[in-house]
Amino acid sequence: MEYRKIKDQDDVGDDIENRGGKALPGVSVSNVANFGGISSERSKWKRKSIVTLALTILTSSQAILIVWSKRAGKYEYSVTTANFSVEALKCALSLAALLRIWRREGVTEDNRLSTTLDEVSVYPIPAALYLVKNLLQYYIFAYVDAPGYQILKNLNIISTGVLYRIILKKKLSEIQWAGFILLCAGCTTAQLNSSSDRVLQTPVQGWVMAIVMALLSGFAGVYTEAIIKKRPSRNINVQNFWLYVFGMGFNAIAILVQDFDAVVNKGFFHGYSLITILMILNHALSGIAVSMVMKYADNIVKVYSTSVAMLLTAVVSVFLFGFHLSLAFFLGSTIVSVSVYLHAIGKVQR
């Protein structure tokens, strides 16, 4: 039906053009223009809805898949090989996107892979930071559950904002600072534990790992943005390609250091299951989904996706892992959602 409407619209437009700009009897040019605007808005709304839904599902399932991939509380597969597979898949997807661009536009100065040593030499730093951060996200689940992880990982909003202020000299609005305070309060509230002597559900080790992950993620994100803005005309897929190439290199070193004997004796994909494969796909596609949000939607969409993902993760964890959805968690996640929203609003009004 949608195709039929668009086709009819095009036919009307052709008839108007063929008649030297004279509209058909009973059909005004303004009506045709209005119809075209409605159709365009509907198409944008559908695209925005699809992107929002995809990002929400990917975000909420990320922690669930990591926890689900465990067997008897342990990872039967090598987490270093899983990280390497994620980087390799992202590298392949970036290269596939470049191939499409080369076929459509040809190879230009801004989309070619060959580059100078000075340009490439900046990528090892964020690649190394992401390596440590990505490895920590597996080990943190020894201290937190999937819903708790979704809450605590929002701490990277604070680290990113502060590092933006320090490194890129970007001014933070008062609304953003208020959002940071609320975010800390929300994370703490969600972790309140009334069923034991401990005040917080997550032990100190979990909080330390969450804070370290937030700092690494924030610094890597700010550093990567600085690299991108240093040469804004450079195609983003080229920049991603080189980042993922170094990511593969560092993960290969991690395999040699941590899991060399296991990989040699048992094989690279030993212990992999369908859940493990889905987890790898999730990690690779999540980055692409965020890029699509920036291109086809807006920052508020990320806020909604993050907020819904926290609650969706909690609900699914109730059925899969027996998670207890407490009032403290609900209130904490609500406060975090409000703080993320304030941060997004503050960024727009800055």
Side-chain angles (χ1 to χ4, degrees), residues 38-78:
I38 294 173
S39 178
S40 176
E41 287 298 321
R42 185 181 300 171
S43 177
K44 289 180 180 179
W45 182 84
K46 285 184 177 179
R47 183 184 297 168
K48 191 173 183 178
S49 300
I50 293 172
V51 170
T52 305
L53 180 62
L55 183 61
T56 302
I57 293 174
L58 288 169
T59 302
S60 60
S61 59
Q62 195 170 72
I64 292 173
L65 288 171
I66 293 178
V67 176
W68 205 0
S69 67
K70 286 184 174 183
R71 293 292 180 271
K74 296 181 179 180
Y75 300 110
E76 292 186 352
Y77 58 91
S78 167

mmCIF file of all heavy atoms in Angstrom, residues 38-78:
data_model
loop_
_atom_site.group_PDB
_atom_site.id
_atom_site.type_symbol
_atom_site.label_atom_id
_atom_site.label_comp_id
_atom_site.label_asym_id
_atom_site.label_seq_id
_atom_site.Cartn_x
_atom_site.Cartn_y
_atom_site.Cartn_z
ATOM 1 N N ILE A 38 4.224 14.663 4.074
ATOM 2 C CA ILE A 38 3.675 13.677 5.008
ATOM 3 C C ILE A 38 4.347 12.330 4.817
ATOM 4 O O ILE A 38 4.711 11.642 5.778
ATOM 5 C CB ILE A 38 2.148 13.563 4.825
ATOM 6 C CG1 ILE A 38 1.471 14.865 5.236
ATOM 7 C CG2 ILE A 38 1.591 12.397 5.637
ATOM 8 C CD1 ILE A 38 -0.014 14.915 4.928
ATOM 9 N N SER A 39 4.510 11.948 3.534
ATOM 10 C CA SER A 39 5.148 10.664 3.244
ATOM 11 C C SER A 39 6.588 10.632 3.727
ATOM 12 O O SER A 39 7.059 9.638 4.270
ATOM 13 C CB SER A 39 5.109 10.397 1.725
ATOM 14 O OG SER A 39 5.749 9.193 1.405
ATOM 15 N N SER A 40 7.301 11.771 3.554
ATOM 16 C CA SER A 40 8.689 11.852 4.003
ATOM 17 C C SER A 40 8.779 11.773 5.517
ATOM 18 O O SER A 40 9.645 11.086 6.064
ATOM 19 C CB SER A 40 9.312 13.156 3.506
ATOM 20 O OG SER A 40 10.618 13.316 4.000
ATOM 21 N N GLU A 41 7.867 12.470 6.231
ATOM 22 C CA GLU A 41 7.861 12.431 7.690
ATOM 23 C C GLU A 41 7.551 11.032 8.198
ATOM 24 O O GLU A 41 8.121 10.573 9.186
ATOM 25 C CB GLU A 41 6.833 13.437 8.236
ATOM 26 C CG GLU A 41 7.247 14.886 8.104
ATOM 27 C CD GLU A 41 8.511 15.192 8.875
ATOM 28 O OE1 GLU A 41 8.670 14.661 9.986
ATOM 29 O OE2 GLU A 41 9.349 15.937 8.362
ATOM 30 N N ARG A 42 6.612 10.359 7.507
ATOM 31 C CA ARG A 42 6.265 8.993 7.907
ATOM 32 C C ARG A 42 7.455 8.062 7.735
ATOM 33 O O ARG A 42 7.717 7.205 8.580
ATOM 34 C CB ARG A 42 5.083 8.501 7.069
ATOM 35 C CG ARG A 42 4.562 7.126 7.473
ATOM 36 C CD ARG A 42 3.416 6.705 6.583
ATOM 37 N NE ARG A 42 2.307 7.649 6.676
ATOM 38 C CZ ARG A 42 1.247 7.594 5.866
ATOM 39 N NH1 ARG A 42 1.185 6.682 4.908
ATOM 40 N NH2 ARG A 42 0.271 8.465 6.009
ATOM 41 N N SER A 43 8.203 8.247 6.643
ATOM 42 C CA SER A 43 9.380 7.423 6.401
ATOM 43 C C SER A 43 10.442 7.659 7.468
ATOM 44 O O SER A 43 11.064 6.713 7.966
ATOM 45 C CB SER A 43 9.954 7.731 5.016
ATOM 46 O OG SER A 43 11.134 6.997 4.781
ATOM 47 N N LYS A 44 10.651 8.929 7.858
ATOM 48 C CA LYS A 44 11.623 9.252 8.901
ATOM 49 C C LYS A 44 11.210 8.661 10.246
ATOM 50 O O LYS A 44 12.040 8.170 10.998
ATOM 51 C CB LYS A 44 11.773 10.778 9.021
ATOM 52 C CG LYS A 44 12.494 11.434 7.853
ATOM 53 C CD LYS A 44 12.590 12.932 8.066
ATOM 54 C CE LYS A 44 13.308 13.603 6.895
ATOM 55 N NZ LYS A 44 13.384 15.080 7.071
ATOM 56 N N TRP A 45 9.889 8.738 10.527
ATOM 57 C CA TRP A 45 9.393 8.206 11.788
ATOM 58 C C TRP A 45 9.608 6.698 11.862
ATOM 59 O O TRP A 45 10.004 6.171 12.905
ATOM 60 C CB TRP A 45 7.909 8.532 11.933
ATOM 61 C CG TRP A 45 7.320 8.065 13.233
ATOM 62 C CD1 TRP A 45 7.338 8.702 14.433
ATOM 63 C CD2 TRP A 45 6.637 6.823 13.453
ATOM 64 N NE1 TRP A 45 6.712 7.960 15.391
ATOM 65 C CE2 TRP A 45 6.267 6.795 14.829
ATOM 66 C CE3 TRP A 45 6.291 5.753 12.643
ATOM 67 C CZ2 TRP A 45 5.584 5.731 15.383
ATOM 68 C CZ3 TRP A 45 5.610 4.687 13.206
ATOM 69 C CH2 TRP A 45 5.264 4.677 14.551
ATOM 70 N N LYS A 46 9.341 6.004 10.741
ATOM 71 C CA LYS A 46 9.549 4.551 10.715
ATOM 72 C C LYS A 46 11.014 4.205 10.928
ATOM 73 O O LYS A 46 11.353 3.301 11.697
ATOM 74 C CB LYS A 46 9.067 3.977 9.382
ATOM 75 C CG LYS A 46 7.561 3.893 9.233
ATOM 76 C CD LYS A 46 7.188 3.232 7.917
ATOM 77 C CE LYS A 46 5.677 3.074 7.802
ATOM 78 N NZ LYS A 46 5.294 2.441 6.516
ATOM 79 N N ARG A 47 11.906 4.943 10.252
ATOM 80 C CA ARG A 47 13.339 4.682 10.380
ATOM 81 C C ARG A 47 13.810 4.937 11.804
ATOM 82 O O ARG A 47 14.566 4.155 12.378
ATOM 83 C CB ARG A 47 14.107 5.567 9.394
ATOM 84 C CG ARG A 47 15.610 5.342 9.384
ATOM 85 C CD ARG A 47 16.274 6.328 8.456
ATOM 86 N NE ARG A 47 15.848 6.169 7.085
ATOM 87 C CZ ARG A 47 16.105 7.054 6.127
ATOM 88 N NH1 ARG A 47 16.758 8.163 6.414
ATOM 89 N NH2 ARG A 47 15.711 6.833 4.895
ATOM 90 N N LYS A 48 13.322 6.040 12.396
ATOM 91 C CA LYS A 48 13.694 6.380 13.768
ATOM 92 C C LYS A 48 13.196 5.320 14.741
ATOM 93 O O LYS A 48 13.901 4.940 15.684
ATOM 94 C CB LYS A 48 13.095 7.744 14.113
ATOM 95 C CG LYS A 48 13.606 8.362 15.392
ATOM 96 C CD LYS A 48 13.076 9.777 15.517
ATOM 97 C CE LYS A 48 13.620 10.463 16.769
ATOM 98 N NZ LYS A 48 13.161 11.859 16.875
ATOM 99 N N SER A 49 11.991 4.809 14.505
ATOM 100 C CA SER A 49 11.422 3.779 15.378
ATOM 101 C C SER A 49 12.226 2.490 15.304
ATOM 102 O O SER A 49 12.496 1.848 16.323
ATOM 103 C CB SER A 49 9.964 3.510 15.000
ATOM 104 O OG SER A 49 9.182 4.676 15.130
ATOM 105 N N ILE A 50 12.621 2.111 14.096
ATOM 106 C CA ILE A 50 13.394 0.879 13.909
ATOM 107 C C ILE A 50 14.748 0.985 14.601
ATOM 108 O O ILE A 50 15.193 0.062 15.291
ATOM 109 C CB ILE A 50 13.571 0.567 12.408
ATOM 110 C CG1 ILE A 50 12.212 0.202 11.779
ATOM 111 C CG2 ILE A 50 14.565 -0.572 12.195
ATOM 112 C CD1 ILE A 50 12.252 0.068 10.269
ATOM 113 N N VAL A 51 15.418 2.134 14.423
ATOM 114 C CA VAL A 51 16.722 2.341 15.036
ATOM 115 C C VAL A 51 16.615 2.330 16.564
ATOM 116 O O VAL A 51 17.438 1.723 17.257
ATOM 117 C CB VAL A 51 17.339 3.671 14.544
ATOM 118 C CG1 VAL A 51 18.568 4.025 15.349
ATOM 119 C CG2 VAL A 51 17.687 3.581 13.071
ATOM 120 N N THR A 52 15.576 2.989 17.090
ATOM 121 C CA THR A 52 15.370 3.025 18.542
ATOM 122 C C THR A 52 15.129 1.632 19.096
ATOM 123 O O THR A 52 15.698 1.244 20.127
ATOM 124 C CB THR A 52 14.172 3.926 18.892
ATOM 125 O OG1 THR A 52 14.375 5.225 18.332
ATOM 126 C CG2 THR A 52 14.005 4.043 20.397
ATOM 127 N N LEU A 53 14.280 0.867 18.419
ATOM 128 C CA LEU A 53 13.978 -0.500 18.849
ATOM 129 C C LEU A 53 15.233 -1.369 18.814
ATOM 130 O O LEU A 53 15.500 -2.140 19.751
ATOM 131 C CB LEU A 53 12.889 -1.099 17.961
ATOM 132 C CG LEU A 53 12.454 -2.531 18.288
ATOM 133 C CD1 LEU A 53 11.855 -2.598 19.687
ATOM 134 C CD2 LEU A 53 11.457 -3.038 17.250
ATOM 135 N N ALA A 54 16.019 -1.235 17.737
ATOM 136 C CA ALA A 54 17.242 -2.038 17.599
ATOM 137 C C ALA A 54 18.232 -1.717 18.710
ATOM 138 O O ALA A 54 18.801 -2.630 19.328
ATOM 139 C CB ALA A 54 17.878 -1.792 16.229
ATOM 140 N N LEU A 55 18.429 -0.418 18.985
ATOM 141 C CA LEU A 55 19.382 -0.022 20.025
ATOM 142 C C LEU A 55 18.913 -0.487 21.403
ATOM 143 O O LEU A 55 19.720 -0.936 22.221
ATOM 144 C CB LEU A 55 19.563 1.495 20.018
ATOM 145 C CG LEU A 55 20.600 2.047 21.012
ATOM 146 C CD1 LEU A 55 21.979 1.492 20.719
ATOM 147 C CD2 LEU A 55 20.621 3.573 20.981
ATOM 148 N N THR A 56 17.608 -0.420 21.657
ATOM 149 C CA THR A 56 17.062 -0.860 22.945
ATOM 150 C C THR A 56 17.281 -2.351 23.151
ATOM 151 O O THR A 56 17.718 -2.787 24.222
ATOM 152 C CB THR A 56 15.560 -0.539 23.029
ATOM 153 O OG1 THR A 56 15.360 0.867 22.843
ATOM 154 C CG2 THR A 56 14.997 -0.959 24.380
ATOM 155 N N ILE A 57 16.995 -3.136 22.124
ATOM 156 C CA ILE A 57 17.160 -4.591 22.222
ATOM 157 C C ILE A 57 18.635 -4.958 22.398
ATOM 158 O O ILE A 57 18.988 -5.792 23.239
ATOM 159 C CB ILE A 57 16.575 -5.287 20.978
ATOM 160 C CG1 ILE A 57 15.049 -5.108 20.946
ATOM 161 C CG2 ILE A 57 16.930 -6.772 20.964
ATOM 162 C CD1 ILE A 57 14.403 -5.629 19.689
ATOM 163 N N LEU A 58 19.499 -4.330 21.611
ATOM 164 C CA LEU A 58 20.926 -4.632 21.702
ATOM 165 C C LEU A 58 21.494 -4.233 23.062
ATOM 166 O O LEU A 58 22.290 -4.969 23.657
ATOM 167 C CB LEU A 58 21.683 -3.915 20.581
ATOM 168 C CG LEU A 58 21.484 -4.454 19.167
ATOM 169 C CD1 LEU A 58 22.076 -3.497 18.133
ATOM 170 C CD2 LEU A 58 22.097 -5.836 19.017
ATOM 171 N N THR A 59 21.080 -3.064 23.567
ATOM 172 C CA THR A 59 21.587 -2.590 24.856
ATOM 173 C C THR A 59 21.118 -3.470 26.006
ATOM 174 O O THR A 59 21.895 -3.838 26.892
ATOM 175 C CB THR A 59 21.139 -1.133 25.104
ATOM 176 O OG1 THR A 59 21.605 -0.309 24.029
ATOM 177 C CG2 THR A 59 21.708 -0.615 26.416
ATOM 178 N N SER A 60 19.842 -3.820 25.991
ATOM 179 C CA SER A 60 19.288 -4.616 27.091
ATOM 180 C C SER A 60 19.797 -6.050 27.082
ATOM 181 O O SER A 60 19.948 -6.673 28.137
ATOM 182 C CB SER A 60 17.758 -4.616 27.019
ATOM 183 O OG SER A 60 17.315 -5.176 25.793
ATOM 184 N N SER A 61 20.074 -6.586 25.895
ATOM 185 C CA SER A 61 20.498 -7.991 25.809
ATOM 186 C C SER A 61 21.997 -8.177 26.004
ATOM 187 O O SER A 61 22.462 -9.308 26.169
ATOM 188 C CB SER A 61 20.092 -8.574 24.451
ATOM 189 O OG SER A 61 20.667 -7.845 23.380
ATOM 190 N N GLN A 62 22.755 -7.086 26.013
ATOM 191 C CA GLN A 62 24.210 -7.204 26.108
ATOM 192 C C GLN A 62 24.642 -7.895 27.399
ATOM 193 O O GLN A 62 25.356 -8.908 27.377
ATOM 194 C CB GLN A 62 24.841 -5.806 26.011
ATOM 195 C CG GLN A 62 26.331 -5.812 25.741
ATOM 196 C CD GLN A 62 26.838 -4.412 25.427
ATOM 197 O OE1 GLN A 62 26.910 -3.568 26.317
ATOM 198 N NE2 GLN A 62 27.185 -4.150 24.172
ATOM 199 N N ALA A 63 24.189 -7.369 28.532
ATOM 200 C CA ALA A 63 24.561 -7.966 29.819
ATOM 201 C C ALA A 63 23.928 -9.340 29.992
ATOM 202 O O ALA A 63 24.547 -10.261 30.545
ATOM 203 C CB ALA A 63 24.134 -7.047 30.958
ATOM 204 N N ILE A 64 22.692 -9.499 29.507
ATOM 205 C CA ILE A 64 21.996 -10.786 29.635
ATOM 206 C C ILE A 64 22.761 -11.887 28.915
ATOM 207 O O ILE A 64 22.929 -12.998 29.439
ATOM 208 C CB ILE A 64 20.563 -10.669 29.072
ATOM 209 C CG1 ILE A 64 19.728 -9.759 29.970
ATOM 210 C CG2 ILE A 64 19.903 -12.039 28.957
ATOM 211 C CD1 ILE A 64 18.356 -9.440 29.416
ATOM 212 N N LEU A 65 23.235 -11.595 27.705
ATOM 213 C CA LEU A 65 23.947 -12.610 26.930
ATOM 214 C C LEU A 65 25.278 -12.984 27.577
ATOM 215 O O LEU A 65 25.686 -14.156 27.535
ATOM 216 C CB LEU A 65 24.178 -12.105 25.499
ATOM 217 C CG LEU A 65 22.925 -12.038 24.615
ATOM 218 C CD1 LEU A 65 23.230 -11.323 23.300
ATOM 219 C CD2 LEU A 65 22.389 -13.439 24.334
ATOM 220 N N ILE A 66 25.971 -12.005 28.171
ATOM 221 C CA ILE A 66 27.246 -12.317 28.842
ATOM 222 C C ILE A 66 26.999 -13.250 30.024
ATOM 223 O O ILE A 66 27.684 -14.264 30.189
ATOM 224 C CB ILE A 66 27.941 -11.025 29.313
ATOM 225 C CG1 ILE A 66 28.379 -10.186 28.115
ATOM 226 C CG2 ILE A 66 29.173 -11.369 30.165
ATOM 227 C CD1 ILE A 66 29.032 -8.868 28.491
ATOM 228 N N VAL A 67 26.007 -12.927 30.849
ATOM 229 C CA VAL A 67 25.690 -13.778 32.002
ATOM 230 C C VAL A 67 25.181 -15.140 31.546
ATOM 231 O O VAL A 67 25.542 -16.180 32.109
ATOM 232 C CB VAL A 67 24.636 -13.091 32.897
ATOM 233 C CG1 VAL A 67 24.225 -14.007 34.042
ATOM 234 C CG2 VAL A 67 25.179 -11.773 33.459
ATOM 235 N N TRP A 68 24.364 -15.157 30.516
ATOM 236 C CA TRP A 68 23.784 -16.389 29.993
ATOM 237 C C TRP A 68 24.834 -17.310 29.380
ATOM 238 O O TRP A 68 24.666 -18.532 29.313
ATOM 239 C CB TRP A 68 22.710 -16.048 28.963
ATOM 240 C CG TRP A 68 21.656 -17.107 28.796
ATOM 241 C CD1 TRP A 68 21.558 -18.302 29.443
ATOM 242 C CD2 TRP A 68 20.541 -17.049 27.907
ATOM 243 N NE1 TRP A 68 20.461 -19.004 29.027
ATOM 244 C CE2 TRP A 68 19.808 -18.247 28.075
ATOM 245 C CE3 TRP A 68 20.085 -16.101 26.993
ATOM 246 C CZ2 TRP A 68 18.650 -18.525 27.354
ATOM 247 C CZ3 TRP A 68 18.935 -16.366 26.280
ATOM 248 C CH2 TRP A 68 18.226 -17.562 26.459
ATOM 249 N N SER A 69 25.922 -16.710 28.893
ATOM 250 C CA SER A 69 26.966 -17.516 28.252
ATOM 251 C C SER A 69 27.801 -18.295 29.262
ATOM 252 O O SER A 69 28.618 -19.143 28.881
ATOM 253 C CB SER A 69 27.888 -16.617 27.411
ATOM 254 O OG SER A 69 28.641 -15.736 28.250
ATOM 255 N N LYS A 70 27.612 -18.013 30.551
ATOM 256 C CA LYS A 70 28.330 -18.753 31.592
ATOM 257 C C LYS A 70 27.751 -20.151 31.757
ATOM 258 O O LYS A 70 26.563 -20.385 31.528
ATOM 259 C CB LYS A 70 28.255 -18.011 32.931
ATOM 260 C CG LYS A 70 29.120 -16.766 33.036
ATOM 261 C CD LYS A 70 29.013 -16.196 34.444
ATOM 262 C CE LYS A 70 29.955 -15.047 34.663
ATOM 263 N NZ LYS A 70 29.908 -14.543 36.052
ATOM 264 N N ARG A 71 28.594 -21.060 32.204
ATOM 265 C CA ARG A 71 28.158 -22.404 32.560
ATOM 266 C C ARG A 71 28.677 -22.706 33.957
ATOM 267 O O ARG A 71 29.891 -22.693 34.184
ATOM 268 C CB ARG A 71 28.685 -23.440 31.555
ATOM 269 C CG ARG A 71 28.096 -23.323 30.158
ATOM 270 C CD ARG A 71 26.611 -23.679 30.148
ATOM 271 N NE ARG A 71 26.040 -23.571 28.799
ATOM 272 C CZ ARG A 71 25.508 -22.473 28.299
ATOM 273 N NH1 ARG A 71 25.477 -21.367 29.033
ATOM 274 N NH2 ARG A 71 25.003 -22.450 27.084
ATOM 275 N N ALA A 72 27.764 -22.942 34.897
ATOM 276 C CA ALA A 72 28.127 -23.190 36.297
ATOM 277 C C ALA A 72 28.958 -22.037 36.857
ATOM 278 O O ALA A 72 29.916 -22.236 37.612
ATOM 279 C CB ALA A 72 28.895 -24.500 36.434
ATOM 280 N N GLY A 73 28.584 -20.817 36.461
ATOM 281 C CA GLY A 73 29.247 -19.631 36.983
ATOM 282 C C GLY A 73 30.582 -19.309 36.342
ATOM 283 O O GLY A 73 31.277 -18.394 36.792
ATOM 284 N N LYS A 74 30.973 -20.038 35.290
ATOM 285 C CA LYS A 74 32.268 -19.813 34.642
ATOM 286 C C LYS A 74 32.085 -19.697 33.129
ATOM 287 O O LYS A 74 31.120 -20.206 32.565
ATOM 288 C CB LYS A 74 33.244 -20.956 34.958
ATOM 289 C CG LYS A 74 33.612 -21.078 36.431
ATOM 290 C CD LYS A 74 34.600 -22.211 36.640
ATOM 291 C CE LYS A 74 34.994 -22.345 38.104
ATOM 292 N NZ LYS A 74 35.966 -23.450 38.322
ATOM 293 N N TYR A 75 33.051 -19.023 32.500
ATOM 294 C CA TYR A 75 33.071 -18.943 31.040
ATOM 295 C C TYR A 75 33.827 -20.162 30.503
ATOM 296 O O TYR A 75 35.018 -20.326 30.789
ATOM 297 C CB TYR A 75 33.759 -17.662 30.566
ATOM 298 C CG TYR A 75 33.101 -16.385 31.049
ATOM 299 C CD1 TYR A 75 33.735 -15.571 31.992
ATOM 300 C CD2 TYR A 75 31.859 -15.995 30.576
ATOM 301 C CE1 TYR A 75 33.144 -14.403 32.439
ATOM 302 C CE2 TYR A 75 31.257 -14.821 31.018
ATOM 303 C CZ TYR A 75 31.900 -14.035 31.951
ATOM 304 O OH TYR A 75 31.312 -12.875 32.393
ATOM 305 N N GLU A 76 33.141 -21.002 29.734
ATOM 306 C CA GLU A 76 33.813 -22.162 29.156
ATOM 307 C C GLU A 76 34.670 -21.764 27.957
ATOM 308 O O GLU A 76 35.576 -22.496 27.563
ATOM 309 C CB GLU A 76 32.777 -23.209 28.734
ATOM 310 C CG GLU A 76 32.045 -23.852 29.907
ATOM 311 C CD GLU A 76 31.134 -24.976 29.468
ATOM 312 O OE1 GLU A 76 30.960 -25.146 28.242
ATOM 313 O OE2 GLU A 76 30.605 -25.688 30.337
ATOM 314 N N TYR A 77 34.380 -20.636 27.374
ATOM 315 C CA TYR A 77 35.148 -20.128 26.241
ATOM 316 C C TYR A 77 36.182 -19.129 26.738
ATOM 317 O O TYR A 77 36.135 -18.671 27.893
ATOM 318 C CB TYR A 77 34.229 -19.471 25.220
ATOM 319 C CG TYR A 77 33.419 -18.329 25.787
ATOM 320 C CD1 TYR A 77 33.899 -17.020 25.753
ATOM 321 C CD2 TYR A 77 32.172 -18.551 26.370
ATOM 322 C CE1 TYR A 77 33.168 -15.979 26.287
ATOM 323 C CE2 TYR A 77 31.427 -17.511 26.904
ATOM 324 C CZ TYR A 77 31.931 -16.224 26.853
ATOM 325 O OH TYR A 77 31.204 -15.192 27.392
ATOM 326 N N SER A 78 37.113 -18.782 25.883
ATOM 327 C CA SER A 78 38.118 -17.785 26.215
ATOM 328 C C SER A 78 37.568 -16.390 25.932
ATOM 329 O O SER A 78 37.155 -16.098 24.808
ATOM 330 C CB SER A 78 39.395 -18.019 25.397
ATOM 331 O OG SER A 78 40.260 -16.905 25.469
#
